[in-house]
Amino acid sequence: MTKKILILPGDGIGPEIVAQAEKVLAYLIAERGLKVELDHGLLGGCAVDATGVPLPDETLVKAKESAAVLLGAVGGPKWEAIDRPLRPERGLLAIRSALGLFGNLRPAVLFPQLAAASSLKEEYVSNLDIMIVRELTGGIYFGEPRGIRTLDDGQREGFNTLVYSENEIERIARVAFDVAGKRQGRVCSVDKANVLEATELWREVVTEIAKDYPDIELEHMYVDNAAMQLVRTPKQFDVILTTNLFGDVLSDLASMLTGSIGMLPSASLASDGSGMYEPIHGSAPDIAGQDVANPLATILSLSMLLRYSLVEVQLADHIEQAVSQVLTDGLRTKDIHSVDTQCVGTDAMGDAVVKALSSLS
Ligand code: NAD
């Protein structure tokens, strides 16, 4: 049966950057024998405008029928003041939860051509290749009770709950150990077990699961130390396994080591191998509609989609090589442009990747 890919462009720069990934998909379908059925849907602010909710039922039905979802980004100032349950970001959390996307893979890879764009000196980041495996559907972002309440003395109090079950910890630990097995074989599990009981259990369960993976080296690190080590000697890490909240923060930190937020893809996986793929950046309303957004994170997200959900490993490798080639050719969008490179727009960058891809058959 032909596999389906659902495309959700979203808001802000979402439609522009997703259009570039669609050019790559169109090329792979027409010229490289990729057999997939494409469909489109609404998520985020555009869905609020069209249907009144950020995740319409129709989108969720289509997503559940698909092997993979390719997402641009959601949100923007237009929807910041509306009721909290209707905000675009709630649609994103809801689709991740409804699809059971518990395993978030966020690579922090530095293309050697962009070494100068890193916030660290080149010697600390050259050939940097870290994979952050973040738990995505549990922890404090989903724990109940949560809210803002008024106390007896009239003061307001905000509260959230950090909760992790053994099963939730075990399944994300297994993702991390499997990923490490295909890389350098090292997992660093990041927690705050000295203060938070939920992550004391996290450490216990991860240690237990590690016994099933005798070839993988496991280390534990407190999150405050991990943040420091990521800036001090980032190349010490291979796979970082961590909770939803810690992963959110550490993966953004790691992204800056690679130079630009516009270069980094992500995958969010369910237990059946289906997944949602999106750049790590947001909808960048400040540059939307100007043909300046960097589409490479979205194109690299498509590469992850082909690798993990469609198991088209060669096509995935070729997309990464094509991206590397356009960088070697000196093409840069504005966010990664420097004096000795050629500044191109979003659309031209997409065309250049397709051209580079066509020379790699
Ligand atoms: P952002 O990632 O959208 O932008 C941060 C900065 O990076 C901006 O200066 C932007 O111009 C730049 N940038 C981002 N992507 C770029 C690209 N591809 N090329 C060039 N420059 C790029 O973060 P923000 O400004 O904090 O958030 C804007 C909106 O996006 C908010 O509504 C936020 O809630 C939403 N958001 C959505 C997601 C998502 O859809 N997964 C993630 C983060 C933020």
Side-chain angles (χ1 to χ4, degrees):
M1 203 169 72
T2 308
K3 288 188 173 165
K4 288 185 186 167
I5 298 178
L6 176 64
I7 297 170
L8 303 174
D11 309 315
I13 59 170
E16 301 165 57
I17 53 178
V18 164
Q20 309 315 312
E22 286 201 68
K23 283 182 193 165
V24 173
L25 259 177
Y27 168 78
L28 296 178
I29 292 167
E31 305 292 336
R32 300 290 295 277
L34 177 66
K35 292 207 177 359
V36 285
E37 203 179 297
L38 305 182
D39 201 353
H40 292 79
L42 297 172
L43 181 77
C46 59
V48 172
D49 289 349
T51 70
V53 291
L55 172 59
D57 290 344
E58 191 191 353
T59 299
L60 189 55
V61 169
K62 285 181 180 181
K64 284 184 172 166
E65 288 168 354
S66 303
V69 177
L70 181 67
L71 170 68
V74 302
K78 185 178 172 192
W79 304 282
E80 263 163 23
I82 62 176
D83 280 354
R84 220 173 275 126
L86 294 182
R87 290 193 193 152
E89 293 76 9
R90 286 294 175 105
L92 193 55
L93 293 181
I95 194 170
R96 283 176 182 163
S97 181
L99 297 178
L101 303 175
F102 69 91
N104 187 216
L105 269 48
R106 284 183 50 164
V109 174
L110 181 73
F111 283 89
Q113 302 93 322
L114 298 179
S118 172
S119 49
L120 294 189
K121 288 189 197 122
E122 199 168 332
E123 65 207 80
Y124 294 111
V125 288
S126 58
N127 301 315
L128 183 78
D129 183 356
I130 302 173
M131 179 67 87
I132 298 186
V133 177
R134 166 188 169 195
E135 200 289 326
L136 200 60
T137 51
I140 200 161
Y141 288 4
F142 291 90
E144 297 284 348
R146 62 190 294 164
I148 299 173
R149 61 191 164 206
T150 304
L151 302 176
D152 291 345
D153 64 1
Q155 212 195 149
R156 286 184 307 152
E157 177 182 76
F159 58 100
N160 292 86
T161 304
L162 171 59
V163 54
Y164 270 117
S165 69
E166 282 186 283
N167 287 347
E168 284 176 312
I169 302 167
E170 175 178 344
R171 65 181 185 176
I172 193 68
R174 291 195 184 282
V175 171
F177 288 122
D178 287 339
V179 167
K182 296 178 188 130
R183 296 170 49 96
Q184 296 170 38
R186 292 185 293 116
V187 171
C188 176
S189 176
V190 171
D191 59 42
K192 191 71 182 169
N194 50 342
V195 180
L196 301 170
E197 285 81 357
T199 68
E200 192 182 323
L201 180 70
W202 176 282
R203 189 176 282 220
E204 270 175 37
V205 173
V206 171
T207 304
E208 196 56 35
I209 300 303
K211 293 180 185 152
D212 293 345
Y213 300 84
D215 296 336
I216 305 293
E217 193 185 305
L218 172 65
E219 172 192 17
H220 299 280
M221 198 178 277
Y222 295 137
V223 63
D224 39 353
N225 186 24
M228 190 176 81
Q229 297 298 334
L230 266 171
V231 179
R232 201 175 72 102
T233 43
K235 285 196 277 184
Q236 70 181 278
F237 296 106
D238 177 23
V239 173
I240 293 177
L241 160 66
T242 193
T243 65
N244 202 344
L245 171 62
F246 296 161
D248 194 358
V249 177
L250 292 181
S251 53
D252 268 20
L253 193 163
S255 75
M256 269 302 100
L257 306 179
T258 71
S260 170
I261 200 166
M263 292 297 301
L264 293 175
S266 76
S268 303
L269 305 175
S271 47
D272 64 357
S274 64
M276 188 158 86
Y277 299 82
E278 56 182 308
I280 68 155
H281 58 72
S283 59
D286 53 328
I287 56 167
Q290 298 172 24
D291 192 38
V292 295
N294 186 344
L296 294 179
T298 313
I299 291 173
L300 291 168
S301 300
L302 173 62
S303 165
M304 290 188 90
L305 183 158
L306 292 165
R307 187 179 304 284
Y308 291 105
S309 287
L310 268 57
V311 202
E312 293 281 0
V313 176
Q314 193 191 37
L315 296 182
D317 286 345
H318 279 186
I319 291 177
E320 285 167 19
Q321 286 166 28
V323 167
S324 185
Q325 186 58 51
V326 297
L327 296 174
T328 300
D329 292 344
L331 303 189
R332 304 280 191 276
T333 42
K334 202 172 160 193
D335 54 312
I336 50 174
H337 173 55
S338 58
V339 277
D340 51 353
T341 56
Q342 185 192 343
C343 192
V344 296
T346 310
D347 205 37
M349 185 57 104
D351 290 341
V353 173
V354 173
K355 189 165 168 235
L357 198 51
S358 64
S359 64
L360 284 170
S361 39

